[in-house]
Amino acid sequence: MILSELLQGVDILESSADLSVEISSVSYDSRQTKPGGLFVAMAGYETDGHRFIPMAMEKGAACVLCQEKPEAGIPYVRTADSRAALAQVGRNWYGDPAAGMTLAGVTGTNGKTTTTYLLKDILEQCLGAKVGLIGTNQNMIGSEILPTERTTPESFELQGLFRRMADAGCTHVVMEVSSHALFLKRVGGVRFAVGVFTNLTQDHLDFHGTMENYCGAKSLLFRQCDVGVYNSDDPWAERVMAEASCRRVSVGERAAGLTAENIRLSAGGVAFDAVENGAVTPVQVGIPGGFMVYNTLGALAAAKALGVPLADSARVLAHCAHVKGRVEVVPTSGDYTMLIDYAHTPDALENVLNAVRGFARGRVVVLFGCGGDRDRTKRPLMGAIAARLADFVIVTSDNPRTEEPGAIIQDILAGMAGTDTEYAVVENRVEAIRYAMDHAQPEDVVILAGKGHETYQIVGHEKRHLDEREIVADYDAQRKERA
């Protein structure tokens, strides 16, 4: 593609490059730069891409797109915002594939994954649509599963994924939109037909610094969508929607455009009446927990904004499958129940423990840790929540990354100080799971919290295979052999 075509829509401050040059590829990682390519230098969260301009030139880059003028002799195009420019370059390179599809984006601390899966099912079954999905668990093109590295891909990869989806015949895309993605402009230039806000609770303060900044990042979604569906019961909702430029649709258990009444919670799921303008639609979803009411309301309202009547959506929701890593039952031969859940924030841990307390006939046992190199302030909060709501707590490692696991555990235990709740510390997560299975009592519900869909553990800078389903199955087989 000719450089001038690639830069259409980019705010150019100055340039020394030949805009008629043919560009062979685009990269923002100098290690991936190819001869004749465009290298986009971005100021990153951990490092500044401008430092790697010489390496990109050594790799044969034809031009550099940057915010800071490089040393003499390097062909460059300077812009005020390299991240915004990369998003536009991606749209141009891939032919703006999102323009031909209907996009729905879901943001919030918790509930994004479940809401996107519910919405995908509704659109596929009610509209007969082929739906692309982008999110934490995996990416999907219809039923084809693609691996994912982060909740929302970098803007250039995102546009490439949109291109694959469009070429495969997708008419709709449902995607999780993280606060990082919004702040770092990974969805720059993307127009959403509908956006959904689930909730806002403490997370990612290592990146955003304050809850106000975190809220501000989430709110950006509602400046680039046509309809904004939001949980009006959430205390941050007003601030999230304050500068929204879209039509607003509120959902909640209290005064809202779409409300949930006559809520019934059970081990088999949730049921309630969805009420809109006095009209009542019975709803049932086979995933337990009070938090599912909000996830379901968000999916219903988003689907309606995309043309699906509430009654049609409700018929689909009654048969939706469980989402991997979200209150997921793991089979064992024991006389107890084992669940895997992604709960890795204070609010998510509280939600899943409250949900389990609602149906557990035995003890509620929770096994969890906290991630290293992340917000330390949530560790004692999660310890306190576990001690308050569980009957027995097993504190272990999550993804320690470059921190000492024992130090992370001590931060968690600080929140449990002064409580009477029994607990055990088993630093190695595999051994902790085996400990939980060995000590489970009849009718206990054991929750393995924090990893969810993940099949790895990050220790130092190394990603090691760790699938809790495999660990449970293998140890269960060993126990049966010994019996």
Side-chain angles (χ1 to χ4, degrees), residues 332-338 360-366 391-394 422 433-447 479:
T332 73
S333 59
D335 50 2
Y336 57 90
T337 301
M338 181 159 280
R361 290 186 290 180
R363 298 182 307 164
V364 175
V365 179
V366 64
D391 299 302
F392 188 76
V393 181
I394 303 168
E422 294 184 37
I433 293 170
R434 292 171 177 168
Y435 176 91
M437 295 173 70
D438 284 340
H439 291 81
Q441 300 174 10
E443 298 191 332
D444 280 356
V445 179
V446 181
I447 309 157
R479 283 159 52 92

Side-chain angles (χ1 to χ4, degrees), residues 218-295:
K218 293 292 189 188
S219 71
L220 295 173
L221 175 63
F222 301 96
R223 301 177 203 177
Q224 55 190 94
C225 61
D226 299 327
V227 179
V229 174
Y230 66 101
N231 170 9
S232 57
D233 291 348
D234 189 89
W236 291 90
E238 186 175 335
R239 275 177 277 191
V240 167
M241 303 303 293
E243 297 183 39
S245 57
C246 57
R247 179 169 68 87
R248 306 177 193 186
V249 176
S250 59
V251 300
E253 294 181 21
R254 297 187 286 276
L258 179 65
T259 59
E261 298 181 3
N262 302 318
I263 297 169
R264 286 91 68 199
L265 307 178
S266 70
V270 300
F272 61 89
D273 292 331
V275 182
E276 183 182 49
N277 298 323
V280 178
T281 303
V283 177
Q284 185 172 349
V285 183
I287 304 174
F291 55 89
M292 275 303 300
V293 174
Y294 290 105
N295 295 341

Side-chain angles (χ1 to χ4, degrees), residues 135-154:
T136 306
N137 276 18
Q138 60 195 11
N139 298 328
M140 300 180 73
I141 299 178
S143 58
E144 179 188 359
I145 296 174
L146 308 175
T148 182
E149 288 294 323
R150 50 166 63 120
T151 298
T152 313
E154 185 54 81

Side-chain angles (χ1 to χ4, degrees), residues 23-88:
I23 297 298
S24 64
S25 62
V26 177
S27 67
Y28 55 90
D29 182 337
S30 59
R31 295 167 296 184
Q32 306 300 321
T33 303
K34 295 181 175 64
L38 174 69
F39 174 65
V40 183
M42 298 189 297
Y45 179 48
E46 296 180 344
T47 188
D48 186 349
H50 291 80
R51 292 173 47 206
F52 301 99
I53 290 176
M55 182 184 292
M57 297 309 297
E58 289 176 9
K59 292 270 191 176
C63 178
V64 171
L65 178 59
C66 52
Q67 289 177 210
E68 301 170 10
K69 188 174 179 178
E71 60 187 61
I74 295 178
Y76 72 92
V77 174
R78 193 167 71 86
T79 183
D81 188 337
S82 294
R83 289 192 172 277
L86 178 65
Q88 183 60 40

Side-chain angles (χ1 to χ4, degrees), residues 77-140:
V77 174
R78 193 167 71 86
T79 183
D81 188 337
S82 294
R83 289 192 172 277
L86 178 65
Q88 183 60 40
V89 164
R91 290 176 66 194
N92 295 338
W93 182 263
Y94 288 106
D96 198 8
M101 298 183 291
T102 300
L103 271 60
V106 182
T107 197
T109 306
N110 302 307
K112 297 188 295 297
T113 300
T114 301
T115 303
T116 57
Y117 275 78
L118 296 178
L119 184 54
K120 182 177 188 289
D121 280 354
I122 291 170
L123 297 177
E124 287 175 338
Q125 297 186 46
C126 292
L127 300 183
K130 186 168 185 177
V131 181
L133 181 138
I134 301 171
T136 306
N137 276 18
Q138 60 195 11
N139 298 328
M140 300 180 73

Side-chain angles (χ1 to χ4, degrees), residues 382-409:
M382 293 178 69
I385 289 166
R388 175 165 53 88
L389 295 175
D391 299 302
F392 188 76
V393 181
I394 303 168
V395 185
T396 186
S397 293
D398 193 279
N399 292 320
R401 299 184 177 87
T402 64
E403 285 195 65
E404 284 296 324
I408 298 173
I409 288 171

Side-chain angles (χ1 to χ4, degrees), residues 424-473:
V425 174
V426 184
E427 184 176 299
N428 181 287
R429 194 171 183 100
V430 174
E431 293 302 321
I433 293 170
R434 292 171 177 168
Y435 176 91
M437 295 173 70
D438 284 340
H439 291 81
Q441 300 174 10
E443 298 191 332
D444 280 356
V445 179
V446 181
I447 309 157
L448 308 182
K451 300 297 291 176
H453 61 282
E454 293 179 353
T455 57
Y456 60 84
Q457 184 177 43
I458 304 174
V459 180
H461 296 288
E462 179 186 357
K463 183 182 279 191
R464 302 175 182 175
H465 181 75
L466 189 152
D467 188 329
E468 294 185 327
R469 297 153 198 82
E470 295 175 1
I471 294 166
V472 171

Side-chain angles (χ1 to χ4, degrees), residues 184-207:
L184 297 173
K185 299 182 173 66
R186 292 179 194 156
V187 289
V190 176
R191 190 69 189 175
F192 295 91
V194 60
V196 180
F197 167 67
T198 60
N199 52 56
L200 193 78
T201 60
Q202 183 171 334
D203 199 14
H204 303 307
L205 296 191
D206 55 297
F207 181 84

